Amino acid sequence: MPLIDLENVKTVAVIGGGTIGASWSAWFLAQGFTVRCSDPSPAAREAAPGLVAACWPQLAALGASGSAQEALARFSIWESHIQAVEGADYVQENAPERLELKQKLLSEIDAALPVDRVIGSSTSGLKASDMQTGMAHPQRLVVAHPFNPPHLIPLVEIVGGQQTSEEAAADWAVAFFNAHGKRAIRVRKEVPGHIANRLQAALWKEAAYLVQSGVASVEDVDLAISEGPGLRWAIMGPHLTFHLGGGTGGMAHFYDHLVPAMQTWWADLGTPVMDAALREQLVEGVQQEVGDRSIADLAAERDRKLIDILNVLSPDPQS
């Protein structure tokens, strides 16, 4: 059976009303969708509209039209995920990272949803192949992994499972998100952590090793990224960055002339011992870097600067 046409998607069900679910809900509302959210927790259901509204000034700074109140008129929160998916044209699942829970939840959603609807999971580590167990229509499940916070960061990683219809569900999900301003990419092989989390895990491994081995302080390691390659990475990924690093010869010149030196660096990369002493070293180092700024202060600073970067990088509709 063919999947629902993209232009016919009007209502989105968001399963889970916590931080990620509320952020997703705000983003879907900003795209003009009606959002039916669910969460079994009364406290989460009570908090969800406020979390959505708190995202709106940031979305407005990125061009979202209308007020938070107007957006919330298209938002509803339900105790039951079965109620939330009623009439939904797409489902974004955000349940806790427990395989058995997701398997049960997804099989119930699958049974309640028309077969031509796609189900996306926000899981950061589980495989679609494992989550498909118990689904009558596993071909329509994909991992649709956002980067936090979903209402601001464009990236969505789309991963199919062994039973996913790659030409249908996976292609549909990429087209759906890209049609609404996200940057969806296809992960063509299931691996733990997908792509982005693996890349940042690899970087943090060496960052922790450099601190543990006394090469630099926590703050200086952070500054080495935020004041250096991190600025370039907001514009281009590692391959294009090194393509430019090769000068007029591009990647071919970089590979032939600079990779040998880089291989000596690879050979010297370390593996930190993640023990109690390193934990204390990192915690104390971060606290010295943070000073008197709270988590809320840091998040606000991050989001404000993210909005500035996104506005600079977004194509000018007048150009």
Side-chain angles (χ1 to χ4, degrees), residues 40-298:
S41 165
R45 294 198 300 276
E46 182 177 356
L51 292 175
V52 171
C55 296
W56 207 257
Q58 299 167 336
L59 287 163
L62 291 172
S65 60
S67 66
Q69 290 72 25
E70 290 169 332
L72 286 170
R74 291 180 276 112
F75 177 80
S76 58
I77 183 78
W78 306 81
E79 178 179 3
S80 166
H81 51 278
I82 301 301
Q83 289 176 306
V85 302
E86 183 178 341
D89 303 311
Y90 171 74
V91 176
Q92 185 72 37
E93 172 270 315
N94 310 278
E97 291 282 286
R98 300 200 301 271
L99 179 59
E100 296 78 8
L101 171 63
K102 285 188 182 285
Q103 287 173 333
K104 180 177 185 297
L105 190 69
L106 289 167
S107 66
E108 293 172 352
I109 292 171
D110 181 46
L113 199 67
V115 71
D116 65 340
R117 269 57 164 179
V118 171
I119 303 170
S121 174
S122 292
T123 181
S124 58
L126 298 176
K127 295 182 179 180
S129 294
D130 295 329
M131 295 188 295
Q132 287 169 326
T133 301
M135 292 180 65
H137 307 289
Q139 72 277 2
R140 41 108 154 254
L141 178 69
V142 297
V143 169
H145 174 243
F147 227 58
N148 191 42
H151 70 283
L152 294 182
I153 301 292
L155 178 67
V156 183
E157 297 174 305
I158 304 297
V159 197
Q162 293 176 358
Q163 300 181 76
T164 300
S165 171
E166 288 292 315
E167 296 75 20
D171 287 348
W172 186 98
V174 169
F176 171 67
F177 284 111
N178 284 343
H180 295 284
K182 287 289 190 184
R183 293 303 299 269
I185 62 173
R186 282 284 295 277
V187 183
R188 300 187 180 277
K189 180 179 179 181
E190 290 182 296
V191 290
H194 318 313
I195 295 174
N197 276 334
R198 290 175 71 93
L199 291 171
Q200 68 173 4
L203 177 62
W204 193 56
K205 178 183 177 183
E206 182 62 16
Y209 175 77
L210 291 171
V211 171
Q212 188 173 58
S213 57
V215 172
S217 68
V218 168
E219 182 174 10
D220 284 345
V221 169
D222 281 355
L223 287 170
I225 294 299
S226 65
E227 303 301 314
L231 295 172
R232 300 190 304 201
W233 292 339
I235 303 164
M236 297 177 180
H239 295 110
L240 275 183
T241 294
F242 287 153
H243 177 61
L244 285 180
T248 57
M251 177 55 78
H253 181 84
F254 180 90
Y255 196 96
D256 293 339
H257 293 273
L258 296 175
V259 163
M262 186 171 288
Q263 286 179 302
T264 66
W265 307 340
W266 287 346
D268 195 56
L269 295 177
T271 298
V273 178
M274 307 303 286
D275 56 13
L278 178 58
R279 179 185 185 277
E280 182 158 347
Q281 193 175 6
L282 293 176
V283 170
E284 289 183 358
V286 167
Q287 192 54 57
Q288 290 174 8
E289 182 178 0
V290 166
D292 59 1
R293 293 175 293 173
S294 68
I295 293 292
D297 292 335
L298 290 169

